[in-house]
Amino acid sequence: MIISGKDLSARLKAEMAAEVAGFPGKYGRVPHLVVILVGDDPASMSYVKGKAKASEVVGIRNTTIRKPADITEAELLGLIAGLNADDSVDGILVQLPLPAHISEPKVIEAIDKSKDVDGFHPLNVAALWQKQPCTLPCTPKGIIRMLKSAGVGISGKRAVVIGRSNIVGLPVAKLLLDENATVTIAHSRTADLPSVTKEAEILVVAIGRPRFVTADMVSDGAVVIDVGVNRDPETGRLCGDVDFEAVEPKASVISPVPGGVGPMTICCLMENTIECFLRRYTPDSI
Ligand code: GUN
């Protein structure tokens, strides 16, 4: 079974659009997401375009602010401070990666926690690990949604996550743990990685290497979630971290690239923007 993140996200966005359509009547306005893009990296430009398009589908107001790659860190922090103070803005997202002269941790921390639609702010991350209410990071949240919609039971399963980044590996491992999976976090320096991945009933791959996971690394009937977005070095086409053609026959469930996790990330960004908007009207929430 191939899980289509594209179809699931289309369904979820249609549901959100119906909800958002009622907001002007209830709240006098729709949620407003501001996306900041620094420089002109083609991959980042394409992600930012995807976020604007999804906002349009859901009925969320989207402002994309483009800044040149040589913007100073102080200027960027000043821009964020202005957006934090702007009552018409519900969500702020700075597209990563940033140019080397700008500190990503500083920028992430500068975004008001209540407008942190990425769920990257240290206070959101701390809340996640302390089992407190928080904004969940979009990609891990989207992966859990995909698994549940595919009818994959997570509780009691052995899950292996390859990758330990702040954006995907660590938080997806935490969310799987919270769903009562037994989780192993593996990485590029794990000794005898195939012996670890072959134990996985659920395998999540977020290592950023084209076709890294081969058929011999996957056990029969495993659920395989591919978070990779790479260029195939031979064809130049988009490909995942999993050798899809080789692994698909062994897997019970697998997510494709493109059309798998990617659309779910954007879908959950829309959901997080709506959550940040609604929290402003419910004073007791986080
Ligand atoms: N770059 C790659 N993925 C992401 C993401 O989820 N959020 C942001 N802000 N930048 C990214």
Side-chain angles (χ1 to χ4, degrees):
M1 174 190 177
I2 299 172
I3 323 178
S4 171
K6 202 173 156 195
D7 292 351
L8 176 58
S9 73
R11 282 205 300 281
L12 294 171
K13 281 187 288 188
E15 286 172 23
M16 285 188 268
E19 187 189 359
V20 170
F23 288 171
K26 266 194 205 160
Y27 305 106
R29 64 185 193 91
V30 295
H32 182 196
L33 171 65
V34 175
V35 176
I36 301 172
L37 172 61
V38 177
D40 53 10
D41 172 69
S44 292
M45 278 168 51
S46 139
Y47 291 139
V48 164
K49 248 190 219 162
K51 289 166 188 178
K53 201 170 155 207
S55 301
E56 202 180 312
V57 170
V58 174
I60 286 173
R61 180 179 162 203
N62 180 290
T63 305
T64 300
I65 301 176
R66 290 199 58 183
K67 290 290 175 187
D70 63 356
I71 185 176
T72 65
E73 186 181 90
E75 278 178 284
L76 183 57
L77 294 174
L79 174 62
I80 292 167
L83 295 168
N84 285 339
D86 184 340
D87 267 349
S88 77
V89 175
D90 301 289
I92 304 167
L93 180 148
V94 179
Q95 187 65 31
L96 303 178
L98 289 168
H101 67 278
I102 301 177
S103 157
E104 285 185 358
K106 252 195 210 174
V107 166
I108 289 167
E109 202 170 346
I111 297 169
D112 194 292
K113 176 187 177 249
S114 68
K115 299 190 181 188
D116 170 35
V117 283
D118 263 328
F120 292 169
H121 191 284
L123 291 173
N124 264 321
V125 177
L128 168 66
W129 286 87
Q130 293 179 352
K131 303 194 185 97
Q132 298 298 311
C134 63
T135 297
L136 294 177
C138 304
T139 300
K141 187 178 184 178
I143 291 170
I144 301 295
R145 278 278 148 73
M146 271 177 105
L147 290 172
K148 288 188 174 171
S149 101
V152 173
I154 303 174
S155 184
K157 293 278 170 66
R158 274 167 301 176
V160 173
V161 176
I162 311 180
R164 49 180 160 175
S165 72
N166 288 336
I167 294 184
V168 183
L170 293 179
V172 82
K174 173 69 166 99
L175 294 189
L176 288 164
L177 190 62
D178 288 348
E179 296 287 340
N180 300 315
T182 300
V183 184
T184 302
I185 304 176
H187 45 80
S188 58
R189 280 183 247 175
T190 297
D192 193 7
L193 185 59
S195 72
V196 176
T197 56
K198 278 193 85 94
E199 291 293 312
E201 294 169 279
I202 300 171
L203 179 62
V204 179
V205 193
I207 193 161
R209 296 192 192 176
R211 299 180 203 277
F212 180 78
V213 170
T214 45
D216 59 301
M217 296 169 73
V218 178
S219 70
D220 283 328
V223 172
V224 180
I225 301 293
D226 188 349
V227 190
V229 184
N230 311 294
R231 288 279 159 201
D232 186 310
E234 281 152 32
T235 64
R237 299 212 343 232
L238 213 59
C239 75
D241 290 352
V242 175
D243 184 345
F244 186 87
E245 285 72 27
V247 170
E248 193 259 335
K250 291 185 92 174
S252 61
V253 174
I254 188 166
S255 71
V257 177
V261 174
M264 290 306 297
T265 297
I266 295 190
C267 177
C268 288
L269 173 66
M270 299 297 108
E271 199 176 275
N272 284 355
T273 305
I274 293 171
E275 283 175 15
C276 287
F277 168 87
L278 288 174
R279 268 186 221 125
R280 299 182 59 188
Y281 298 95
T282 44
D284 287 339
S285 62
I286 59 164

